[in-house]
Amino acid sequence: MDVNVLKRVPVREQEPKVRATNFEEVCLGYNLEEAQAEAGRCLNCKNAQCVKGCPVSISIPAFIQKVKDGDIIGAADVIAQDSALPAICGRVCPQETQCEGKCIRGIKGDPVSIGKLERFVADTAREMGYVPKAPEKTNGKKVAVIGSGPAGLTCAGDLARLGYEVTIFEALHEPGGVLVYGIPEFRLPKDAVVQKEIENVKKLGVQIETNVVVGKSITIDQLMQEEGFSAVFIGSGAGLPKFMGIPGENANGVFSANEYLTRNNLMKAFREDYDTPIVGGKKVAVVGGGNVAMDAARTALRLGAEVHIVYRRSEEELPARVEEVHHAKEEGVVFDLLTNPTKILVNEDGWVTGMECVRMELGEPDASGRRRPVVIPGSEFELELDTVIMALGTSPNPLISSTTEGLEINKWKCIIADEKNGKTTKEGVYAGGDAVTGAATVILAMEAGKAGAKGIHEYLSNQ
């Protein structure tokens, strides 16, 4: 066996010391020669496990075969049958636990770089002027989609292909949801990637109205009773940040990761030609260990700070992608693991000066299956800081559920919906993504958007 077949083609990246000083994309992606060499490693399995590992069931061997053949537009057509956001998914999906995690090549060597190939196809096809095929005519039925994040965009795109007249209502001034406010430029370029993929969704016939806060500007009941929408999909995400509830959290210099990243990503605080205020900080602690924590830490680093990740479990339990942890370490982020904050220290002027912490050790597994962190007695210490970013997850804003009669939520304020078709407790209303599950990944939100589109199509087809 050719030993080269066992190793994936490496992807080019900016050098760590260089990229830590800019907001340009870290990963530079494959060129055609590299992509075809990597595609050549695919076994084109008859019973493709990679497809089973993909939440949106992209025909992976089929699009990779097109890459082998040099037919990039054909590859884009294959992906477009199941995904409206390939350039985004190719960059931010946790392929290592999904499609690539199921790849047969991974048994004796490296799995095929499915995500990097998807990104290559999407980027190259876009440069070639590729536009997904729109339906020739509509069926006259109107569907409203609330939220223009990955769940909303996916649901809207699928429904538009089926002939529905779809309007997305977005609360912010730019469409994209978490794709524009939550994920940094160096991981997901906004103008070059996100906006281009949103434009492709619009070319399917989808209308997008921004600055519409459903629950304030208009209610779901009004959309259905007064505006003529036959069904509604709620993909409003989970934008309400969580905090620890420790002393000092209200001090100046304490951010939720949501606010910190929104100021920087959507409001361009990192650019000198924007006057968006943000406290860069000289020494920053990011509390949490997920992808959002890595994003916040790597952003603060690029704004000139010494940055510490403070996480109460060990590295093995970090929920962030391995690639994100690796990149953060390469760039110089310090990991204070098995460490838990107990108090934020504040000066007389109300600004952060430090954080009291304790050391932890891992005990027996908790309900999540991870070993529970336990305080080590007498291990208290202080970290000197001027900024703290809380990256502890988010929950759905209750505005929509509280203004919609008949829409039930659970104890976590998440909308109750059937995961197979997105059906809620209110007739004609469907939901999916973080608004239903709480904070999760982009690709799982897309899966929910597809399920919601299927559910709405079945519902309206029977009317």
Side-chain angles (χ1 to χ4, degrees), residues 404-427:
T404 307
E405 191 174 342
L407 189 66
E408 294 183 11
I409 58 175
N410 62 23
K411 63 180 180 180
W412 298 286
K413 303 289 192 286
C414 295
I415 296 167
I416 297 172
D418 189 320
E419 64 178 25
K420 293 181 180 178
N421 60 16
K423 184 177 174 60
T424 71
T425 55
K426 184 177 177 66
E427 178 80 12

Short mmCIF file of all heavy atoms in Angstrom, two decimals, residues 404-427:
data_model
loop_
_atom_site.label_atom_id
_atom_site.label_comp_id
_atom_site.label_asym_id
_atom_site.label_seq_id
_atom_site.Cartn_x
_atom_site.Cartn_y
_atom_site.Cartn_z
N THR A 404 -46.42 34.69 21.76
CA THR A 404 -47.11 33.81 20.81
C THR A 404 -48.02 32.85 21.56
O THR A 404 -47.55 31.98 22.30
CB THR A 404 -46.10 33.00 19.97
OG1 THR A 404 -45.16 33.90 19.37
CG2 THR A 404 -46.81 32.21 18.89
N GLU A 405 -49.31 33.02 21.37
CA GLU A 405 -50.27 32.19 22.07
C GLU A 405 -50.21 30.74 21.56
O GLU A 405 -50.17 30.49 20.36
CB GLU A 405 -51.69 32.74 21.87
CG GLU A 405 -52.75 32.10 22.75
CD GLU A 405 -54.10 32.78 22.63
OE1 GLU A 405 -54.14 33.93 22.15
OE2 GLU A 405 -55.10 32.15 23.01
N GLY A 406 -50.13 29.79 22.50
CA GLY A 406 -50.15 28.37 22.14
C GLY A 406 -48.79 27.77 21.85
O GLY A 406 -48.71 26.58 21.51
N LEU A 407 -47.73 28.56 21.98
CA LEU A 407 -46.38 28.06 21.73
C LEU A 407 -45.73 27.68 23.06
O LEU A 407 -45.43 28.55 23.87
CB LEU A 407 -45.55 29.13 21.01
CG LEU A 407 -44.18 28.70 20.47
CD1 LEU A 407 -44.34 27.68 19.35
CD2 LEU A 407 -43.40 29.92 19.98
N GLU A 408 -45.53 26.40 23.27
CA GLU A 408 -45.02 25.93 24.57
C GLU A 408 -43.50 25.84 24.59
O GLU A 408 -42.87 25.54 23.58
CB GLU A 408 -45.63 24.56 24.91
CG GLU A 408 -47.14 24.60 25.15
CD GLU A 408 -47.70 23.26 25.55
OE1 GLU A 408 -46.91 22.33 25.84
OE2 GLU A 408 -48.94 23.12 25.55
N ILE A 409 -42.94 26.10 25.77
CA ILE A 409 -41.49 26.00 25.98
C ILE A 409 -41.22 25.06 27.14
O ILE A 409 -42.11 24.75 27.93
CB ILE A 409 -40.86 27.39 26.26
CG1 ILE A 409 -41.51 28.05 27.49
CG2 ILE A 409 -40.99 28.30 25.05
CD1 ILE A 409 -40.86 29.36 27.91
N ASN A 410 -39.96 24.60 27.25
CA ASN A 410 -39.59 23.73 28.37
C ASN A 410 -38.95 24.55 29.49
O ASN A 410 -38.91 25.78 29.43
CB ASN A 410 -38.69 22.59 27.90
CG ASN A 410 -37.36 23.09 27.30
OD1 ASN A 410 -36.91 24.21 27.59
ND2 ASN A 410 -36.75 22.28 26.46
N LYS A 411 -38.42 23.86 30.50
CA LYS A 411 -37.89 24.57 31.68
C LYS A 411 -36.63 25.38 31.36
O LYS A 411 -36.23 26.25 32.14
CB LYS A 411 -37.61 23.57 32.81
CG LYS A 411 -36.55 22.53 32.49
CD LYS A 411 -36.36 21.59 33.68
CE LYS A 411 -35.30 20.53 33.39
NZ LYS A 411 -35.11 19.61 34.54
N TRP A 412 -35.98 25.08 30.21
CA TRP A 412 -34.80 25.84 29.81
C TRP A 412 -35.15 27.00 28.89
O TRP A 412 -34.27 27.61 28.29
CB TRP A 412 -33.80 24.92 29.12
CG TRP A 412 -33.29 23.83 30.02
CD1 TRP A 412 -32.38 23.95 31.05
CD2 TRP A 412 -33.68 22.45 30.00
NE1 TRP A 412 -32.19 22.74 31.66
CE2 TRP A 412 -32.96 21.79 31.04
CE3 TRP A 412 -34.55 21.71 29.22
CZ2 TRP A 412 -33.11 20.43 31.30
CZ3 TRP A 412 -34.69 20.35 29.48
CH2 TRP A 412 -33.98 19.73 30.50
N LYS A 413 -36.46 27.29 28.76
CA LYS A 413 -36.97 28.37 27.90
C LYS A 413 -36.79 28.06 26.40
O LYS A 413 -36.87 28.94 25.56
CB LYS A 413 -36.28 29.72 28.22
CG LYS A 413 -36.43 30.17 29.67
CD LYS A 413 -37.83 30.58 29.98
CE LYS A 413 -37.92 31.30 31.31
NZ LYS A 413 -37.80 30.44 32.48
N CYS A 414 -36.55 26.80 26.08
CA CYS A 414 -36.44 26.38 24.69
C CYS A 414 -37.82 25.99 24.14
O CYS A 414 -38.64 25.41 24.87
CB CYS A 414 -35.50 25.17 24.55
SG CYS A 414 -33.78 25.52 24.99
N ILE A 415 -38.06 26.32 22.88
CA ILE A 415 -39.34 25.98 22.25
C ILE A 415 -39.44 24.46 22.09
O ILE A 415 -38.48 23.80 21.67
CB ILE A 415 -39.46 26.67 20.88
CG1 ILE A 415 -39.50 28.19 21.07
CG2 ILE A 415 -40.71 26.21 20.13
CD1 ILE A 415 -39.30 28.98 19.79
N ILE A 416 -40.57 23.91 22.43
CA ILE A 416 -40.80 22.47 22.28
C ILE A 416 -41.17 22.19 20.83
O ILE A 416 -42.16 22.72 20.31
CB ILE A 416 -41.90 21.98 23.23
CG1 ILE A 416 -41.47 22.18 24.70
CG2 ILE A 416 -42.25 20.52 22.97
CD1 ILE A 416 -42.56 21.91 25.71
N ALA A 417 -40.37 21.35 20.16
CA ALA A 417 -40.61 21.03 18.74
C ALA A 417 -40.15 19.61 18.45
O ALA A 417 -39.19 19.12 19.05
CB ALA A 417 -39.89 22.02 17.83
N ASP A 418 -40.82 18.97 17.52
CA ASP A 418 -40.47 17.62 17.10
C ASP A 418 -39.18 17.67 16.29
O ASP A 418 -39.09 18.40 15.30
CB ASP A 418 -41.60 17.05 16.24
CG ASP A 418 -41.43 15.57 15.92
OD1 ASP A 418 -40.29 15.16 15.65
OD2 ASP A 418 -42.44 14.84 15.91
N GLU A 419 -38.16 16.91 16.70
CA GLU A 419 -36.87 16.98 16.00
C GLU A 419 -36.93 16.43 14.58
O GLU A 419 -36.10 16.75 13.74
CB GLU A 419 -35.80 16.23 16.79
CG GLU A 419 -36.03 14.75 16.94
CD GLU A 419 -34.91 14.04 17.69
OE1 GLU A 419 -34.22 14.71 18.50
OE2 GLU A 419 -34.72 12.84 17.48
N LYS A 420 -37.92 15.62 14.28
CA LYS A 420 -38.02 15.02 12.94
C LYS A 420 -38.60 15.98 11.91
O LYS A 420 -38.26 15.91 10.73
CB LYS A 420 -38.87 13.75 12.99
CG LYS A 420 -38.22 12.62 13.78
CD LYS A 420 -39.10 11.39 13.77
CE LYS A 420 -38.44 10.26 14.56
NZ LYS A 420 -39.31 9.05 14.61
N ASN A 421 -39.51 16.87 12.35
CA ASN A 421 -40.14 17.78 11.38
C ASN A 421 -40.29 19.21 11.87
O ASN A 421 -40.83 20.05 11.16
CB ASN A 421 -41.51 17.24 10.95
CG ASN A 421 -42.48 17.08 12.11
OD1 ASN A 421 -42.27 17.63 13.19
ND2 ASN A 421 -43.55 16.32 11.90
N GLY A 422 -39.81 19.50 13.09
CA GLY A 422 -39.85 20.87 13.60
C GLY A 422 -41.20 21.34 14.10
O GLY A 422 -41.36 22.50 14.50
N LYS A 423 -42.21 20.47 14.10
CA LYS A 423 -43.57 20.87 14.49
C LYS A 423 -43.62 21.28 15.96
O LYS A 423 -43.14 20.57 16.83
CB LYS A 423 -44.54 19.71 14.24
CG LYS A 423 -46.00 20.02 14.52
CD LYS A 423 -46.88 18.83 14.16
CE LYS A 423 -48.33 19.04 14.56
NZ LYS A 423 -48.91 20.21 13.89
N THR A 424 -44.21 22.46 16.23
CA THR A 424 -44.37 22.94 17.60
C THR A 424 -45.79 22.65 18.08
O THR A 424 -46.58 22.00 17.39
CB THR A 424 -44.11 24.45 17.69
OG1 THR A 424 -45.19 25.15 17.05
CG2 THR A 424 -42.79 24.83 17.04
N THR A 425 -46.13 23.18 19.24
CA THR A 425 -47.47 22.99 19.80
C THR A 425 -48.49 23.95 19.19
O THR A 425 -49.67 23.88 19.51
CB THR A 425 -47.44 23.18 21.32
OG1 THR A 425 -46.86 24.47 21.61
CG2 THR A 425 -46.60 22.10 22.00
N LYS A 426 -48.04 24.85 18.32
CA LYS A 426 -48.95 25.80 17.68
C LYS A 426 -49.14 25.43 16.22
O LYS A 426 -48.17 25.20 15.49
CB LYS A 426 -48.41 27.23 17.81
CG LYS A 426 -49.37 28.30 17.26
CD LYS A 426 -48.79 29.69 17.50
CE LYS A 426 -49.70 30.77 16.89
NZ LYS A 426 -51.01 30.85 17.55
N GLU A 427 -50.37 25.38 15.78
CA GLU A 427 -50.72 25.02 14.41
C GLU A 427 -50.00 25.90 13.39
O GLU A 427 -50.04 27.14 13.46
CB GLU A 427 -52.23 25.15 14.21
CG GLU A 427 -52.73 24.86 12.81
CD GLU A 427 -52.85 23.37 12.53
OE1 GLU A 427 -52.77 22.57 13.49
OE2 GLU A 427 -53.05 23.01 11.35
#
